[in-house]
mmCIF file of all heavy atoms in Angstrom:
data_model
loop_
_atom_site.group_PDB
_atom_site.id
_atom_site.type_symbol
_atom_site.label_atom_id
_atom_site.label_comp_id
_atom_site.label_asym_id
_atom_site.label_seq_id
_atom_site.Cartn_x
_atom_site.Cartn_y
_atom_site.Cartn_z
ATOM 1 N N SER F 1 0.842 -1.205 -0.013
ATOM 2 C CA SER F 1 -0.055 0.018 -0.005
ATOM 3 C C SER F 1 0.839 1.259 0.000
ATOM 4 O O SER F 1 0.553 2.251 -0.646
ATOM 5 C CB SER F 1 -0.959 -0.024 1.164
ATOM 6 O OG SER F 1 -0.298 0.066 2.388
ATOM 7 N N HIS F 2 2.037 1.192 0.642
ATOM 8 C CA HIS F 2 2.891 2.352 0.674
ATOM 9 C C HIS F 2 3.535 2.603 -0.746
ATOM 10 O O HIS F 2 3.686 3.782 -1.202
ATOM 11 C CB HIS F 2 4.048 2.184 1.663
ATOM 12 C CG HIS F 2 3.608 2.386 3.092
ATOM 13 N ND1 HIS F 2 2.709 3.332 3.500
ATOM 14 C CD2 HIS F 2 3.962 1.665 4.251
ATOM 15 C CE1 HIS F 2 2.499 3.235 4.811
ATOM 16 N NE2 HIS F 2 3.223 2.221 5.274
ATOM 17 N N LEU F 3 3.841 1.531 -1.410
ATOM 18 C CA LEU F 3 4.354 1.653 -2.821
ATOM 19 C C LEU F 3 3.281 2.309 -3.718
ATOM 20 O O LEU F 3 3.719 3.057 -4.543
ATOM 21 C CB LEU F 3 4.782 0.297 -3.307
ATOM 22 C CG LEU F 3 6.047 -0.298 -2.855
ATOM 23 C CD1 LEU F 3 6.249 -1.693 -3.318
ATOM 24 C CD2 LEU F 3 7.235 0.594 -3.350
ATOM 25 N N ALA F 4 1.999 1.911 -3.511
ATOM 26 C CA ALA F 4 0.960 2.542 -4.356
ATOM 27 C C ALA F 4 0.865 4.023 -4.022
ATOM 28 O O ALA F 4 0.716 4.882 -4.959
ATOM 29 C CB ALA F 4 -0.367 1.870 -4.094
ATOM 30 N N TYR F 5 0.972 4.395 -2.767
ATOM 31 C CA TYR F 5 0.900 5.755 -2.370
ATOM 32 C C TYR F 5 2.105 6.585 -2.980
ATOM 33 O O TYR F 5 1.889 7.665 -3.483
ATOM 34 C CB TYR F 5 0.891 5.879 -0.883
ATOM 35 C CG TYR F 5 0.982 7.362 -0.441
ATOM 36 C CD1 TYR F 5 -0.244 8.171 -0.530
ATOM 37 C CD2 TYR F 5 2.027 7.861 0.079
ATOM 38 C CE1 TYR F 5 -0.202 9.526 -0.069
ATOM 39 C CE2 TYR F 5 2.137 9.311 0.428
ATOM 40 C CZ TYR F 5 1.000 10.010 0.437
ATOM 41 O OH TYR F 5 1.057 11.331 0.778
ATOM 42 N N ILE F 6 3.236 5.956 -2.920
ATOM 43 C CA ILE F 6 4.449 6.665 -3.465
ATOM 44 C C ILE F 6 4.390 6.824 -4.956
ATOM 45 O O ILE F 6 4.732 7.824 -5.549
ATOM 46 C CB ILE F 6 5.723 5.844 -3.013
ATOM 47 C CG1 ILE F 6 5.974 6.063 -1.520
ATOM 48 C CG2 ILE F 6 6.901 6.333 -3.782
ATOM 49 C CD1 ILE F 6 7.083 5.197 -0.919
ATOM 50 N N SER F 7 3.774 5.798 -5.627
ATOM 51 C CA SER F 7 3.590 5.890 -7.097
ATOM 52 C C SER F 7 2.664 7.077 -7.397
ATOM 53 O O SER F 7 2.895 7.820 -8.346
ATOM 54 C CB SER F 7 3.050 4.580 -7.559
ATOM 55 O OG SER F 7 2.750 4.680 -8.940
ATOM 56 N N ASP F 8 1.506 7.183 -6.637
ATOM 57 C CA ASP F 8 0.568 8.256 -6.835
ATOM 58 C C ASP F 8 1.208 9.626 -6.558
ATOM 59 O O ASP F 8 1.036 10.571 -7.284
ATOM 60 C CB ASP F 8 -0.645 8.088 -5.971
ATOM 61 C CG ASP F 8 -1.568 7.111 -6.477
ATOM 62 O OD1 ASP F 8 -1.376 6.598 -7.666
ATOM 63 O OD2 ASP F 8 -2.433 6.616 -5.727
ATOM 64 N N LEU F 9 2.109 9.673 -5.527
ATOM 65 C CA LEU F 9 2.798 10.900 -5.094
ATOM 66 C C LEU F 9 3.701 11.315 -6.269
ATOM 67 O O LEU F 9 3.744 12.500 -6.674
ATOM 68 C CB LEU F 9 3.561 10.703 -3.855
ATOM 69 C CG LEU F 9 4.072 11.919 -3.246
ATOM 70 C CD1 LEU F 9 2.933 12.897 -2.877
ATOM 71 C CD2 LEU F 9 4.719 11.599 -1.902
ATOM 72 N N ASN F 10 4.456 10.351 -6.958
ATOM 73 C CA ASN F 10 5.320 10.670 -8.030
ATOM 74 C C ASN F 10 4.531 11.196 -9.153
ATOM 75 O O ASN F 10 4.980 12.118 -9.918
ATOM 76 C CB ASN F 10 6.189 9.412 -8.410
ATOM 77 C CG ASN F 10 7.324 9.243 -7.444
ATOM 78 O OD1 ASN F 10 7.829 10.158 -6.854
ATOM 79 N ND2 ASN F 10 7.767 7.986 -7.373
ATOM 80 N N THR F 11 3.461 10.598 -9.436
ATOM 81 C CA THR F 11 2.538 11.060 -10.559
ATOM 82 C C THR F 11 2.038 12.466 -10.369
ATOM 83 O O THR F 11 2.158 13.303 -11.209
ATOM 84 C CB THR F 11 1.371 10.076 -10.807
ATOM 85 O OG1 THR F 11 1.865 8.814 -11.020
ATOM 86 C CG2 THR F 11 0.445 10.536 -11.910
ATOM 87 N N GLY F 12 1.629 12.713 -9.072
ATOM 88 C CA GLY F 12 1.141 14.049 -8.681
ATOM 89 C C GLY F 12 2.271 15.071 -8.821
ATOM 90 O O GLY F 12 2.066 16.190 -9.292
ATOM 91 N N LEU F 13 3.458 14.705 -8.394
ATOM 92 C CA LEU F 13 4.607 15.704 -8.490
ATOM 93 C C LEU F 13 4.953 16.059 -9.974
ATOM 94 O O LEU F 13 5.285 17.163 -10.322
ATOM 95 C CB LEU F 13 5.787 15.131 -7.762
ATOM 96 C CG LEU F 13 5.713 15.304 -6.205
ATOM 97 C CD1 LEU F 13 6.929 14.568 -5.577
ATOM 98 C CD2 LEU F 13 5.789 16.781 -5.767
ATOM 99 N N SER F 14 4.901 14.964 -10.813
ATOM 100 C CA SER F 14 5.197 15.174 -12.207
ATOM 101 C C SER F 14 4.190 16.114 -12.840
ATOM 102 O O SER F 14 4.475 16.968 -13.587
ATOM 103 C CB SER F 14 5.228 13.832 -12.973
ATOM 104 O OG SER F 14 6.267 13.129 -12.460
ATOM 105 N N LEU F 15 2.877 15.932 -12.485
ATOM 106 C CA LEU F 15 1.777 16.813 -12.967
ATOM 107 C C LEU F 15 2.046 18.189 -12.482
ATOM 108 O O LEU F 15 1.764 19.197 -13.238
ATOM 109 C CB LEU F 15 0.491 16.206 -12.680
ATOM 110 C CG LEU F 15 0.017 14.936 -13.381
ATOM 111 C CD1 LEU F 15 -1.209 14.327 -12.863
ATOM 112 C CD2 LEU F 15 -0.155 15.302 -14.881
ATOM 113 N N ALA F 16 2.351 18.321 -11.231
ATOM 114 C CA ALA F 16 2.620 19.679 -10.654
ATOM 115 C C ALA F 16 3.750 20.401 -11.393
ATOM 116 O O ALA F 16 3.659 21.647 -11.650
ATOM 117 C CB ALA F 16 2.838 19.572 -9.132
ATOM 118 N N ARG F 17 4.757 19.674 -11.600
ATOM 119 C CA ARG F 17 5.941 20.263 -12.339
ATOM 120 C C ARG F 17 5.517 20.696 -13.755
ATOM 121 O O ARG F 17 5.909 21.720 -14.255
ATOM 122 C CB ARG F 17 7.081 19.383 -12.376
ATOM 123 C CG ARG F 17 7.795 19.199 -11.012
ATOM 124 C CD ARG F 17 8.999 18.214 -11.054
ATOM 125 N NE ARG F 17 9.512 18.017 -9.819
ATOM 126 C CZ ARG F 17 9.675 16.829 -9.225
ATOM 127 N NH1 ARG F 17 9.371 15.767 -10.024
ATOM 128 N NH2 ARG F 17 10.155 16.666 -8.028
ATOM 129 N N GLU F 18 4.699 19.862 -14.315
ATOM 130 C CA GLU F 18 4.261 20.169 -15.700
ATOM 131 C C GLU F 18 3.339 21.451 -15.667
ATOM 132 O O GLU F 18 3.487 22.296 -16.547
ATOM 133 C CB GLU F 18 3.450 18.993 -16.303
ATOM 134 C CG GLU F 18 2.928 19.267 -17.670
ATOM 135 C CD GLU F 18 2.056 18.031 -18.135
ATOM 136 O OE1 GLU F 18 2.299 16.919 -17.687
ATOM 137 O OE2 GLU F 18 1.212 18.286 -19.022
ATOM 138 N N GLY F 19 2.451 21.506 -14.690
ATOM 139 C CA GLY F 19 1.681 22.727 -14.575
ATOM 140 C C GLY F 19 2.466 23.934 -14.335
ATOM 141 O O GLY F 19 2.142 25.049 -14.836
ATOM 142 N N MET F 20 3.533 23.773 -13.585
ATOM 143 C CA MET F 20 4.414 24.941 -13.232
ATOM 144 C C MET F 20 5.159 25.366 -14.489
ATOM 145 O O MET F 20 5.199 26.585 -14.783
ATOM 146 C CB MET F 20 5.441 24.470 -12.275
ATOM 147 C CG MET F 20 6.231 25.663 -11.681
ATOM 148 S SD MET F 20 5.276 26.793 -10.701
ATOM 149 C CE MET F 20 4.787 25.746 -9.302
ATOM 150 N N GLU F 21 5.602 24.425 -15.303
ATOM 151 C CA GLU F 21 6.333 24.779 -16.525
ATOM 152 C C GLU F 21 5.377 25.521 -17.542
ATOM 153 O O GLU F 21 5.800 26.289 -18.292
ATOM 154 C CB GLU F 21 6.868 23.515 -17.164
ATOM 155 C CG GLU F 21 8.097 23.000 -16.425
ATOM 156 C CD GLU F 21 9.209 24.081 -16.338
ATOM 157 O OE1 GLU F 21 9.547 24.807 -17.311
ATOM 158 O OE2 GLU F 21 9.812 24.178 -15.232
ATOM 159 N N ARG F 22 4.081 25.036 -17.532
ATOM 160 C CA ARG F 22 3.098 25.723 -18.448
ATOM 161 C C ARG F 22 2.999 27.212 -18.138
ATOM 162 O O ARG F 22 2.942 28.060 -19.010
ATOM 163 C CB ARG F 22 1.775 25.039 -18.379
ATOM 164 C CG ARG F 22 1.707 23.719 -19.126
ATOM 165 C CD ARG F 22 0.284 23.196 -19.131
ATOM 166 N NE ARG F 22 0.253 21.895 -19.789
ATOM 167 C CZ ARG F 22 -0.688 21.100 -19.600
ATOM 168 N NH1 ARG F 22 -1.702 21.311 -18.878
ATOM 169 N NH2 ARG F 22 -0.606 19.898 -20.242
ATOM 170 N N ILE F 23 2.960 27.500 -16.781
ATOM 171 C CA ILE F 23 2.847 28.934 -16.395
ATOM 172 C C ILE F 23 4.015 29.660 -16.808
ATOM 173 O O ILE F 23 3.970 30.769 -17.368
ATOM 174 C CB ILE F 23 2.648 29.041 -14.852
ATOM 175 C CG1 ILE F 23 1.288 28.477 -14.438
ATOM 176 C CG2 ILE F 23 2.891 30.327 -14.292
ATOM 177 C CD1 ILE F 23 0.192 29.471 -14.664
ATOM 178 N N ARG F 24 5.209 29.092 -16.584
ATOM 179 C CA ARG F 24 6.440 29.824 -16.936
ATOM 180 C C ARG F 24 6.644 29.967 -18.345
ATOM 181 O O ARG F 24 7.149 30.976 -18.839
ATOM 182 C CB ARG F 24 7.712 28.936 -16.394
ATOM 183 C CG ARG F 24 7.888 29.115 -14.924
ATOM 184 C CD ARG F 24 9.084 28.307 -14.416
ATOM 185 N NE ARG F 24 9.153 28.255 -12.978
ATOM 186 C CZ ARG F 24 9.798 27.496 -12.365
ATOM 187 N NH1 ARG F 24 10.528 26.565 -12.929
ATOM 188 N NH2 ARG F 24 9.909 27.524 -11.045
ATOM 189 N N ASN F 25 6.105 29.067 -19.212
ATOM 190 C CA ASN F 25 6.314 29.118 -20.631
ATOM 191 C C ASN F 25 5.222 29.965 -21.338
ATOM 192 O O ASN F 25 5.304 30.190 -22.526
ATOM 193 C CB ASN F 25 6.281 27.751 -21.287
ATOM 194 C CG ASN F 25 7.521 27.001 -20.890
ATOM 195 O OD1 ASN F 25 8.565 27.476 -20.658
ATOM 196 N ND2 ASN F 25 7.368 25.643 -20.822
ATOM 197 N N LEU F 26 4.285 30.545 -20.563
ATOM 198 C CA LEU F 26 3.272 31.390 -21.130
ATOM 199 C C LEU F 26 3.928 32.749 -21.635
ATOM 200 O O LEU F 26 3.388 33.350 -22.637
ATOM 201 C CB LEU F 26 2.140 31.768 -20.182
ATOM 202 C CG LEU F 26 1.206 30.676 -19.852
ATOM 203 C CD1 LEU F 26 0.230 31.101 -18.806
ATOM 204 C CD2 LEU F 26 0.390 30.195 -21.159
ATOM 205 N N ARG F 27 4.917 33.200 -21.045
ATOM 206 C CA ARG F 27 5.669 34.342 -21.468
ATOM 207 C C ARG F 27 4.775 35.578 -21.403
ATOM 208 O O ARG F 27 4.649 36.393 -22.299
ATOM 209 C CB ARG F 27 6.260 34.271 -22.815
ATOM 210 C CG ARG F 27 7.249 33.102 -22.897
ATOM 211 C CD ARG F 27 8.666 33.587 -22.606
ATOM 212 N NE ARG F 27 9.575 32.472 -22.917
ATOM 213 C CZ ARG F 27 10.482 32.059 -22.066
ATOM 214 N NH1 ARG F 27 10.718 32.656 -20.942
ATOM 215 N NH2 ARG F 27 11.237 31.056 -22.413
ATOM 216 N N ILE F 28 3.977 35.747 -20.279
ATOM 217 C CA ILE F 28 3.125 36.902 -20.141
ATOM 218 C C ILE F 28 3.558 37.594 -18.912
ATOM 219 O O ILE F 28 4.166 37.030 -17.990
ATOM 220 C CB ILE F 28 1.606 36.511 -20.111
ATOM 221 C CG1 ILE F 28 1.274 35.514 -19.073
ATOM 222 C CG2 ILE F 28 1.221 35.997 -21.476
ATOM 223 C CD1 ILE F 28 -0.205 35.114 -19.007
ATOM 224 N N THR F 29 3.113 38.844 -18.760
ATOM 225 C CA THR F 29 3.526 39.665 -17.517
ATOM 226 C C THR F 29 2.719 39.337 -16.310
ATOM 227 O O THR F 29 1.702 38.639 -16.385
ATOM 228 C CB THR F 29 3.316 41.101 -17.914
ATOM 229 O OG1 THR F 29 1.911 41.422 -18.127
ATOM 230 C CG2 THR F 29 4.097 41.550 -19.211
ATOM 231 N N GLU F 30 3.190 39.862 -15.223
ATOM 232 C CA GLU F 30 2.497 39.667 -13.905
ATOM 233 C C GLU F 30 1.010 40.123 -14.073
ATOM 234 O O GLU F 30 0.115 39.465 -13.546
ATOM 235 C CB GLU F 30 3.175 40.369 -12.756
ATOM 236 C CG GLU F 30 4.441 39.655 -12.361
ATOM 237 C CD GLU F 30 5.137 40.502 -11.207
ATOM 238 O OE1 GLU F 30 4.403 40.744 -10.203
ATOM 239 O OE2 GLU F 30 6.264 40.777 -11.277
ATOM 240 N N SER F 31 0.852 41.312 -14.603
ATOM 241 C CA SER F 31 -0.499 41.869 -14.648
ATOM 242 C C SER F 31 -1.368 40.986 -15.549
ATOM 243 O O SER F 31 -2.624 40.816 -15.226
ATOM 244 C CB SER F 31 -0.481 43.269 -15.259
ATOM 245 O OG SER F 31 0.184 43.353 -16.466
ATOM 246 N N GLN F 32 -0.862 40.407 -16.605
ATOM 247 C CA GLN F 32 -1.635 39.508 -17.566
ATOM 248 C C GLN F 32 -1.946 38.231 -16.711
ATOM 249 O O GLN F 32 -3.063 37.728 -16.895
ATOM 250 C CB GLN F 32 -0.826 39.276 -18.810
ATOM 251 C CG GLN F 32 -0.764 40.364 -19.763
ATOM 252 C CD GLN F 32 0.100 40.084 -20.870
ATOM 253 O OE1 GLN F 32 1.179 39.387 -20.748
ATOM 254 N NE2 GLN F 32 -0.114 40.610 -22.059
ATOM 255 N N LEU F 33 -0.983 37.742 -15.935
ATOM 256 C CA LEU F 33 -1.298 36.523 -15.127
ATOM 257 C C LEU F 33 -2.398 36.764 -14.112
ATOM 258 O O LEU F 33 -3.288 35.967 -13.854
ATOM 259 C CB LEU F 33 0.001 36.043 -14.404
ATOM 260 C CG LEU F 33 0.927 35.180 -15.259
ATOM 261 C CD1 LEU F 33 2.193 34.899 -14.529
ATOM 262 C CD2 LEU F 33 0.270 33.927 -15.608
ATOM 263 N N GLN F 34 -2.325 37.977 -13.531
ATOM 264 C CA GLN F 34 -3.368 38.310 -12.475
ATOM 265 C C GLN F 34 -4.693 38.427 -13.180
ATOM 266 O O GLN F 34 -5.802 38.057 -12.602
ATOM 267 C CB GLN F 34 -3.023 39.669 -11.798
ATOM 268 C CG GLN F 34 -1.880 39.523 -10.790
ATOM 269 C CD GLN F 34 -1.464 40.730 -10.133
ATOM 270 O OE1 GLN F 34 -2.065 41.825 -10.390
ATOM 271 N NE2 GLN F 34 -0.557 40.737 -9.179
ATOM 272 N N ALA F 35 -4.759 39.087 -14.362
ATOM 273 C CA ALA F 35 -6.046 39.170 -15.115
ATOM 274 C C ALA F 35 -6.541 37.792 -15.492
ATOM 275 O O ALA F 35 -7.776 37.601 -15.545
ATOM 276 C CB ALA F 35 -5.811 40.064 -16.298
ATOM 277 N N ARG F 36 -5.626 36.896 -15.792
ATOM 278 C CA ARG F 36 -6.048 35.541 -16.215
ATOM 279 C C ARG F 36 -6.684 34.786 -15.063
ATOM 280 O O ARG F 36 -7.621 34.021 -15.253
ATOM 281 C CB ARG F 36 -4.776 34.837 -16.747
ATOM 282 C CG ARG F 36 -5.028 33.366 -17.174
ATOM 283 C CD ARG F 36 -3.695 32.842 -17.837
ATOM 284 N NE ARG F 36 -3.802 31.413 -18.160
ATOM 285 C CZ ARG F 36 -3.289 30.433 -17.454
ATOM 286 N NH1 ARG F 36 -2.645 30.660 -16.402
ATOM 287 N NH2 ARG F 36 -3.529 29.188 -17.897
ATOM 288 N N GLY F 37 -6.103 34.987 -13.849
ATOM 289 C CA GLY F 37 -6.773 34.336 -12.671
ATOM 290 C C GLY F 37 -6.370 32.887 -12.511
ATOM 291 O O GLY F 37 -5.522 32.327 -13.172
ATOM 292 N N ASP F 38 -7.216 32.247 -11.745
ATOM 293 C CA ASP F 38 -7.059 30.761 -11.589
ATOM 294 C C ASP F 38 -7.515 30.040 -12.860
ATOM 295 O O ASP F 38 -8.372 30.385 -13.536
ATOM 296 C CB ASP F 38 -7.871 30.276 -10.348
ATOM 297 C CG ASP F 38 -7.353 30.806 -9.109
ATOM 298 O OD1 ASP F 38 -6.318 31.527 -9.113
ATOM 299 O OD2 ASP F 38 -8.076 30.633 -8.050
ATOM 300 N N SER F 39 -6.790 28.936 -13.073
ATOM 301 C CA SER F 39 -7.133 28.072 -14.319
ATOM 302 C C SER F 39 -7.009 26.683 -13.921
ATOM 303 O O SER F 39 -6.308 26.213 -12.925
ATOM 304 C CB SER F 39 -6.271 28.398 -15.474
ATOM 305 O OG SER F 39 -4.935 28.083 -15.204
ATOM 306 N N TYR F 40 -7.701 25.776 -14.615
ATOM 307 C CA TYR F 40 -7.685 24.374 -14.332
ATOM 308 C C TYR F 40 -7.343 23.633 -15.655
ATOM 309 O O TYR F 40 -7.675 24.088 -16.718
ATOM 310 C CB TYR F 40 -9.092 23.889 -13.945
ATOM 311 C CG TYR F 40 -9.536 24.319 -12.558
ATOM 312 C CD1 TYR F 40 -10.188 25.437 -12.337
ATOM 313 C CD2 TYR F 40 -9.244 23.427 -11.519
ATOM 314 C CE1 TYR F 40 -10.533 25.840 -11.007
ATOM 315 C CE2 TYR F 40 -9.561 23.862 -10.265
ATOM 316 C CZ TYR F 40 -10.277 24.986 -10.027
ATOM 317 O OH TYR F 40 -10.593 25.388 -8.726
ATOM 318 N N GLU F 41 -6.601 22.570 -15.471
ATOM 319 C CA GLU F 41 -6.206 21.639 -16.551
ATOM 320 C C GLU F 41 -6.681 20.286 -16.211
ATOM 321 O O GLU F 41 -6.099 19.677 -15.272
ATOM 322 C CB GLU F 41 -4.688 21.661 -16.773
ATOM 323 C CG GLU F 41 -4.123 22.892 -17.313
ATOM 324 C CD GLU F 41 -4.408 23.204 -18.757
ATOM 325 O OE1 GLU F 41 -4.632 22.229 -19.514
ATOM 326 O OE2 GLU F 41 -4.520 24.340 -19.143
#
């Protein structure tokens, strides 16, 4: 059961890093990010 949890945690961390990279690669300003607000993928 711990191995299953660790596998899910690795998947979650990979998805979080991917979401972080998407934000960084948008190449928009702080004001544009604030205007964009929260988003879901």
Side-chain angles (χ1 to χ4, degrees):
S1 66
H2 288 320
L3 283 174
Y5 176 75
I6 289 170
S7 174
D8 285 346
L9 195 58
N10 282 334
T11 302
L13 283 171
S14 296
L15 288 171
R17 288 182 186 125
E18 179 183 334
M20 190 68 67
E21 288 301 317
R22 282 188 186 160
I23 289 283
R24 287 185 184 156
N25 291 333
L26 285 176
R27 304 267 187 227
I28 57 178
T29 64
E30 287 183 49
S31 58
Q32 289 172 324
L33 277 172
Q34 286 179 357
R36 181 176 177 253
D38 294 353
S39 63
Y40 288 89
E41 291 288 330

